[in-house]
Amino acid sequence: MSIILIDYGSGNLHSAKKALERAAALSNRADIIQVSADPDAIRRADRVVLPGVGAFADCKRGLTSTPGMLEALEEAVLKRGMPFLGICVGMQLLATRGLEHVTTPGFDWIKGDVALIQPQDASLKVPHMGWNTLSPRLDHPLLKDIPTGPNGLHAYFVHSFQFKPQHESEVLTETDYGGSIVAMVGRDNIVGTQFHPEKSQKLGLALISNFLAWRP
Amino acid sequence: MLKYRVIPCLDVKDGRVVKGVNFVDLRDAGDPVESAMAYDKAGADELCFLDITASHEKRGTILDVVQRTAEACFMPLTVGGGIKDIQDISKLLLAGADKVSIMTAAVNNRNFVKEAAEKFGSQCIVVAIDAKQTSPGHWEIFTHGGRTPTGLDAIAYAREVVELGAGEILLTSMDRDGTKSGFDLALTRKISDSIKVPLIASGGVGNLDHLVEGIREGHATAVLAASIFHFGEYTIRQAKEHMIEAGLPMRMD
């Protein structure tokens, strides 16, 4: 199977690629992981991963600077149902709007806004940085065999902005940081993680393996 | 619930670890990647490489180390030492670093912090502060391993770099570094309470109580140590168990 990791000038591609390769090897799969900025490569792929670090507006600009990129993604993911995984800002881009510094339109695949984290407890630091547990709202194939809840495995988060989906049904897991923060969103063939699976050791590799095996 | 972090730090010179990890049987204790893998397995929450390569010609060696580490360890990695411009940061992030720690370049040009945070996002820009007490209640920033005074007040400087976009502060007390007498808790708490971003306490850890104090009394959200871990005095697991016994939430995956 061919998996495309979208290269649009965002850092961290190397780690994401290596984590995908390791997850594939651990599940005895012979997947080909390709880093590419070519819209045609997306159309030909079987699965697509959108990584992302940095600011919402920068990431959006980076993506749209490649002509045909958004159109290729919409065609593959929305029309043909290609499994999609967005990571961190790659997850936030699924929203209707990003409110980081300036208001920037997102893909609008999962209705909602991305807004600053404002913990109720003022002593809590922003960014929300470090390891936190996941509380599932729904059973999802990407969480298969992953221990969750307060005594479950941890995921690595580093973000100052949070996804606030309009439809509660599209929240897959949440985490607690002076209140609930959405940790995963999704519907149909689309999933996004606020945390970094490529940096989340056991939980991360298990989740990526589940993504590779996922048949939505 | 978010857990506190324990971060071992490795000094890397010309692509080799100085004071290599001694707690496991490594084929090559000088290989940073092997040390990183050992800490990954031991349950470290993040890893920090401090590049102390002096010669300009060998500056590229850290990129290879970072790249090989990112291939083997799926945990967050911060790299600091000798970062001068946007290009340096870009290369490290592309090689697989998650965060970079900037010290002298930020002291020399505060705007560099802003530029870096705007380009790469605050979440990956750590500003490292080496501070020494100059009078009661006052700490000054020093560079070059504590040799060069800058005249900058540590607390005001920390506030300023956070305002400019630093996503985290790595604070080292130069009075305590290497003494094993514990963190400078007054300094740590003063800075942590003046900024909204997370703070990593560093410098002076000699036992596991010091780690607890750094968080409870210093208000740090992460603690960094080198020698107590490298020489096998304590394992990461022992450190975390001790912190759990003291009532701190820690990750034991």
Side-chain angles (χ1 to χ4, degrees):
Chain A
M1 204 164 54
S2 146
I3 294 116
I4 292 285
L5 189 59
I6 302 180
D7 176 9
Y8 59 105
S10 161
N12 229 352
L13 277 174
H14 187 68
S15 327
K17 179 166 191 271
K18 290 297 160 189
L20 280 160
E21 285 171 358
R22 173 71 70 90
L26 287 174
S27 13
N28 294 314
R29 304 174 55 92
D31 299 317
I32 298 159
I33 322 289
Q34 253 186 300
V35 173
S36 174
D38 175 10
D40 283 332
I42 293 171
R43 288 195 182 89
R44 285 194 305 267
D46 300 303
R47 265 151 228 260
V48 58
V49 178
L50 182 68
V53 290
F56 191 102
D58 275 351
C59 286
K60 179 72 191 306
R61 202 177 304 122
L63 258 184
T64 46
S65 71
T66 304
M69 177 73 92
L70 272 182
E71 292 77 3
L73 273 172
E74 284 184 354
E75 190 193 312
V77 179
L78 297 184
K79 293 213 184 106
R80 286 174 27 226
M82 186 185 294
F84 173 97
L85 173 64
I87 298 173
C88 198
V89 183
M91 166 259 211
Q92 296 182 345
L93 284 170
L94 295 171
T96 311
R97 303 185 302 170
L99 308 179
E100 185 171 355
H101 310 306
V102 289
T103 300
T104 309
F107 297 172
D108 199 23
W109 293 358
I110 305 253
K111 300 261 178 235
D113 283 348
V114 176
L116 187 68
I117 300 174
Q118 291 171 308
Q120 286 149 18
D121 176 352
S123 73
L124 289 176
K125 305 291 191 179
V126 177
H128 169 225
M129 186 184 289
W131 298 86
N132 212 331
T133 47
L134 306 177
S135 304
R137 288 258 195 103
L138 293 167
D139 222 10
H140 194 279
L142 261 70
L143 294 167
K144 187 175 160 267
D145 297 331
I146 297 178
T148 50
N151 299 314
L153 292 177
H154 290 78
Y156 188 79
F157 289 84
V158 48
H159 62 123
S160 301
F161 290 79
Q162 60 178 331
F163 201 137
K164 302 214 160 192
Q166 225 174 69
H167 306 298
E168 289 290 317
S169 61
E170 292 175 346
V171 176
L172 302 181
T173 67
E174 55 194 339
T175 191
D176 176 54
Y177 191 59
S180 166
I181 283 182
V182 170
M184 284 171 77
V185 292
R187 64 172 173 87
D188 310 322
N189 54 315
I190 301 166
V191 166
T193 65
Q194 179 61 71
F195 53 89
H196 288 271
E198 77 282 15
K199 290 290 161 181
S200 297
Q201 291 183 327
K202 281 178 214 164
L203 179 148
L205 289 173
L207 186 138
I208 294 171
S209 299
N210 287 340
F211 173 70
L212 295 176
W214 187 29
R215 297 193 178 279
Chain B
M1 179 189 256
L2 186 70
K3 306 304 187 289
Y4 293 107
R5 290 169 283 153
V6 173
I7 308 174
C9 180
L10 291 157
D11 286 358
V12 180
K13 189 180 182 192
D14 303 338
R16 303 283 295 169
V17 184
V18 183
K19 295 187 287 188
V21 170
N22 252 333
F23 65 84
V24 281
D25 293 327
L26 300 182
R27 275 172 305 162
D28 175 2
D31 179 9
V33 183
E34 278 208 41
S35 298
M37 286 167 77
Y39 276 125
D40 186 22
K41 211 172 147 204
D45 295 310
E46 284 181 29
L47 193 65
C48 179
F49 282 146
L50 181 62
D51 185 20
I52 54 169
T53 303
S55 75
H56 188 70
E57 300 77 57
K58 291 189 173 165
R59 292 286 314 163
T61 53
I62 191 70
L63 293 175
D64 174 59
V65 167
V66 169
Q67 187 151 354
R68 287 190 295 124
T69 302
E71 281 169 20
C73 299
F74 301 103
M75 66 186 304
L77 174 66
T78 302
V79 184
I83 293 167
K84 282 190 290 296
D85 52 35
I86 292 290
Q87 271 298 313
D88 290 339
I89 299 178
S90 179
K91 281 184 205 158
L92 284 167
L93 295 178
L94 284 176
D98 299 285
K99 300 187 256 185
V100 292
S101 142
I102 309 168
M103 185 160 71
T104 314
V107 166
N108 292 344
N109 172 18
R110 230 75 95 241
N111 204 46
F112 180 46
V113 177
K114 185 161 187 259
E115 207 188 327
E118 277 172 4
K119 174 117 181 90
F120 305 105
S122 289
Q123 83 293 332
C124 66
I125 306 301
V126 182
V127 170
I129 295 179
D130 282 3
K132 261 190 209 180
Q133 188 161 22
T134 45
S135 64
H138 289 278
W139 291 266
E140 186 180 330
I141 309 263
F142 281 70
T143 56
H144 302 95
R147 292 192 307 274
T148 314
T150 64
L152 294 166
D153 175 73
I155 294 150
Y157 176 81
R159 278 205 196 106
E160 190 186 353
V161 292
V162 167
E163 207 52 49
L164 289 169
E168 192 168 35
I169 296 291
L170 167 55
L171 173 68
T172 305
S173 158
M174 298 311 286
D175 297 311
R176 299 301 180 92
D177 205 28
T179 64
K180 300 210 158 215
S181 59
F183 298 118
D184 182 336
L185 295 172
L187 167 68
T188 308
R189 186 170 53 243
K190 261 213 152 116
I191 294 195
S192 187
D193 289 353
S194 339
I195 56 173
K196 61 176 198 280
V197 303
L199 179 139
I200 306 169
S202 154
V205 176
N207 63 49
L208 302 182
D209 286 331
H210 291 155
L211 301 177
V212 175
E213 287 166 4
I215 286 167
R216 185 153 290 152
E217 292 169 48
H219 299 174
T221 54
V223 285
L224 180 141
S227 54
I228 63 157
F229 296 132
H230 300 337
F231 301 134
E233 279 171 65
Y234 302 101
T235 64
I236 299 277
R237 194 162 188 95
Q238 281 172 329
K240 289 184 160 186
E241 277 167 356
H242 189 82
M243 293 166 88
I244 284 177
E245 276 164 32
L248 299 174
M250 305 300 298
R251 177 183 74 112
M252 299 299 277
D253 292 358

